Amino acid sequence: MKKNKTDLRELIFASLLLSMAAVLSFVESSFPPLPFLPAGVKLGSSNIIVMYSLFFMGNKWGFSVAFLKSLFVLLLRGPVSFAISLCGGIFSCLALIGLKRQSGLSLLFVSIGAAVAHNIGQLFCAGLILKNTGLFYYLPVLIISGCVMGGITGVTSKIIMPKLQFLKGHFK
């Protein structure tokens, strides 16, 4: 009986995290692109929640939140955006899993690695959809922007993750 109660609490907390990720994704997508940023570059604030899910709830929940967040993108922006979001999320989760296994890496470095992987995954998917390898000339821009935006989300994560841990404590 106790395991079922724990599983339910974990599911409720994961649902709360998914809601946070969906809201952050929606809010971020509702802002117009900033004119000084290269095309397609966004902060990726909802990836903070995916990173938290993967680190503190396990790989299963991290992938689940990333996948369900992509389904939310499907509802709002359509199948192409869904595919691009899903590929970015999968690449990012795989990078997070690999980087979290390395001891001594800072959250900042892990966040940058995940952001760069996310951008590579999105570019890979766009290349498949458009059947155009010329898109990969944009890779240096996406690597640099992934480093910058990943750095910002890494610093933000360092502030937000303890608060999420505090919130998670209320679900025990």
Side-chain angles (χ1 to χ4, degrees):
M1 184 68 174
K2 184 169 166 86
K3 178 152 175 46
N4 289 342
K5 193 174 186 180
T6 302
D7 289 346
L8 180 60
R9 288 179 178 177
E10 190 174 61
L11 178 63
I12 291 168
F13 186 66
S15 300
L16 179 65
L17 291 173
L18 173 61
S19 299
M20 286 184 220
V23 167
L24 287 169
S25 179
F26 175 74
V27 168
E28 193 171 296
S29 69
S30 62
F31 289 120
L34 297 173
F36 56 86
L37 290 178
V41 173
K42 294 189 305 182
L43 180 59
S45 57
S46 63
N47 294 326
I48 294 169
I49 306 300
V50 173
M51 189 165 40
Y52 173 86
S53 301
L54 202 135
F55 273 35
F56 295 104
M57 296 188 70
N59 297 346
K60 174 183 81 169
W61 286 113
F63 276 105
S64 296
V65 170
F67 175 74
L68 293 170
K69 183 181 74 130
S70 295
L71 282 179
F72 181 73
V73 169
L74 172 66
L75 295 173
L76 291 180
R77 292 179 261 162
V80 172
S81 293
F82 163 73
I84 290 172
S85 173
L86 183 61
C87 282
I90 290 170
F91 274 58
S92 179
C93 283
L94 291 173
L96 285 168
I97 290 168
L99 291 170
K100 89 174 182 177
R101 288 185 179 158
Q102 306 300 314
S103 62
L105 293 181
S106 71
L107 186 59
L108 179 68
F109 183 81
V110 171
S111 179
I112 289 170
V116 170
H118 194 276
N119 287 351
I120 291 170
Q122 288 184 320
L123 189 65
F124 175 76
C125 184
L128 287 176
I129 290 170
L130 297 174
K131 296 179 176 93
N132 182 350
T133 57
L135 291 175
F136 288 95
Y137 287 111
Y138 202 56
L139 188 59
V141 172
L142 292 179
I143 289 173
I144 292 168
S145 66
C147 289
V148 172
M149 297 306 180
I152 293 169
T153 58
V155 169
T156 307
S157 293
K158 202 166 178 95
I159 296 165
I160 291 176
M161 283 193 182
K163 292 170 181 26
L164 289 173
Q165 279 295 84
F166 174 77
L167 183 61
K168 184 180 181 187
H170 286 55
F171 285 87
K172 291 192 178 200

